[in-house]
Amino acid sequence: MATIPITLRGAEKLKAELHQLKTVERPSVINAIAEARAQGDLSENAEYEAAKDRQGFVEGRIQEVEGKLSAAQIIDPASVDAGGKVVFGTTVELEEESTGEVVKYQIVGEDEADLKLGLINISSPIARALIGKEEGDVAVVQAPGGEKRYEIVAVSYI
């Protein structure tokens, strides 16, 4: 089974979700099923059907999160020493050549990505263009709106 890179923060987030699912969601669904069963005839019991559907979702998500955690390769960006190169977990400050706009991204795993927070997926076009580059290099990204060029202003491991 292939390993999935994930930051320390991302792994903690998944562990917290798993804890929530097992200690809060699962017991809540079990209680809802018990209450619906107590109402009698299950063939036309909408509450029972809804609770069973919710149970299927919760159990599926538990399996999914456990699978991701078991395949996770947890990487702490602060302990990475890549000699100034952009690697997984790196925080990169970029300047778009055409507009001069400066943006800051951290390259993270698929489950952690959130563009609004500046967290980009390792498999995204911009992250793939940045991997292996250093401060001062120019990364060329094939974006839907055409080619974009970014100069790497700063590389940090935080």
Side-chain angles (χ1 to χ4, degrees):
M1 186 169 173
T3 59
I4 302 167
I6 190 168
T7 64
L8 193 57
R9 179 184 63 238
E12 292 303 321
K13 190 175 164 185
L14 281 178
K15 287 176 186 174
E17 180 184 358
L18 185 60
H19 180 73
Q20 169 79 11
L21 287 167
K22 285 183 168 183
T23 61
V24 177
E25 299 293 329
R26 183 185 270 167
S28 170
V29 168
I30 291 169
N31 287 339
I33 290 171
E35 288 174 17
R37 275 194 178 137
Q39 294 176 8
D41 185 15
L42 298 179
S43 64
E44 294 181 21
N45 190 330
E47 288 85 8
Y48 178 76
E49 290 301 320
K52 290 298 281 181
D53 287 347
R54 179 80 182 138
Q55 182 183 36
F57 172 78
V58 168
E59 294 302 324
R61 184 64 185 156
I62 287 172
Q63 285 183 342
E64 183 180 351
V65 172
E66 285 177 338
K68 286 178 181 181
L69 284 171
S70 69
Q73 177 185 3
I74 300 171
I75 298 169
D76 182 3
S79 67
V80 172
D81 180 20
K85 291 194 180 298
V86 177
V87 294
F88 180 86
T90 304
T91 300
V92 186
E93 192 172 316
L94 307 169
E95 181 179 339
E96 187 177 347
E97 286 188 343
S98 62
T99 64
E101 179 186 358
V102 176
V103 291
K104 194 175 202 175
Y105 296 124
Q106 181 181 18
I107 300 173
V108 297
E110 180 182 334
D111 292 312
E112 306 169 78
D114 186 344
L115 193 55
K116 292 179 186 123
L117 299 176
L119 304 172
I120 59 172
N121 186 343
I122 183 76
S123 61
S124 68
I126 191 164
R128 288 196 318 261
L130 292 170
I131 296 294
K133 302 260 191 302
E134 298 177 334
E135 208 171 286
D137 288 351
V138 173
V140 179
V141 179
Q142 295 299 329
E147 186 178 279
K148 291 192 177 210
R149 298 172 63 83
Y150 294 95
E151 180 181 345
I152 300 173
V153 176
V155 174
S156 55
Y157 308 98
I158 50 176

